Amino acid sequence: MALGRDELGQRSETVRRANLSAIVRELHLRGPLSRSELVARTGLTRSAIRALIGELVAGELVVEEPAIRLGTPGRPSPLVRLIGERIVVLALEIAVDSLAVAIVGAGGVVHEHERVDRPRGHFSLDDVVADLAVLAKAVRTRRPAGEQPLRVAVAVAGIVNRADGIVRFAPNLGWVDTPLGLRLAEVLELPVPVDVANESDLGALAELRRGAARGADDVLYVHGEVGVGGGIIIDGRPLGGIGGYGGEIGHMPVNPDGRPCRCGSVGCWETEVGEGALLARAGWPLDGGRTAVDAVLAEARAGRPRAVAAIAETGRWLGIGLAGLVNVLNPRRVVLGGLFSRIHPGVAGAVEAGLDRFALVAPRQLVSVVPSLLGVDAPLLGAAELAFEPLLADPAAWLGPRGALVELESA
Ligand SMILES: [Zn+2]
């Protein structure tokens, strides 16, 4: 069947956009690459790469720079890199203990970063967005005048409807059906959209792209603080469920005879592995926060039996829950973030023993459990990755309607 002129044009335009996306995504995730490396990684021909790089250079998304000679003979090929000093996003985070802001360039370079501790408790939406706006303004004044972030994304410790930016439920902030995206867009006074997403989902994304889960397409990220959340990536894609509320692994029922949970249920996993459970076992006040956790860790290092036992018991429950999740999800890697990353040395043995005892042999053999590489900033860096996604998915939208194929059409 012969294709009409319009149909052919549309197809070649779709292919062009997909190819530009493949190139920009490689450069964002891997850093500067030579044209030959881009040929090898994208499967495109050398001439296609040359034309597409030309478009990206003209559109001021990338530059080609001489490579540094490493003592090898011959002229080194130039490297193509995204102009990360100019193409930036604004990433925000609303955690239970802190607020954070970062300006991140294409390629993942963090240009500016600021995190301020805040006391725990319930805060009005107005107060939180006002504080974030002040922080964002302070950080942006350190950047070149007139710099406009491509997009803004915020990580929040709650269940989020991504479509409308409403936080459906954030027990530690005291928020129910809170229009965070809308209010942030108002106070930030930037002419770009604000994406809102759950902190664990974003932690998973950051660890997948730039942290402890690099190279693994099937990942479970487990974030522990007061609450316990999960980010699940299967076959390279986030698993969110119909409403995007999936991954709430902290609220898996594991102990029907256990303690009441903040969600209204009883014996959820976070009542056994969350910060409150650890502190209670170690004899510290439940609301002691990070300072109290530090004290427990110090006591455990000094060999105090109660602290050692508290960490071991938390590790036992961690292993039980992870065994169930490994059976269900069959991940390549489990990344322990937040509190769990900090107590990892103390719980690693119990977690491995729990997996040996309770997980099925086949998925257990394939999984490794590792602490987060990005630490406390994983959700913030994940917010930056989310904000870059529209650019990575369709860089042509930033280039305007130019390009060789379009010119051929009009010729
Ligand atoms: Zn619960």
Side-chain angles (χ1 to χ4, degrees), residues 89-91 150-153 195 382-391 398:
V89 296
L90 178 63
L150 286 185
R151 214 170 164 97
V152 181
D195 295 315
E385 292 300 324
L386 180 67
F388 272 119
E389 200 47 45
L391 173 72
W398 270 264

Side-chain angles (χ1 to χ4, degrees), residues 132-144:
L132 270 180
V134 169
L135 208 53
K137 198 169 184 176
V139 163
R140 291 191 64 212
T141 55
R142 305 206 289 261
R143 296 289 300 160

Side-chain angles (χ1 to χ4, degrees), residues 250-251 261-263 265 268:
H251 300 286
C261 182
R262 295 161 312 125
C263 73
S265 185
C268 294

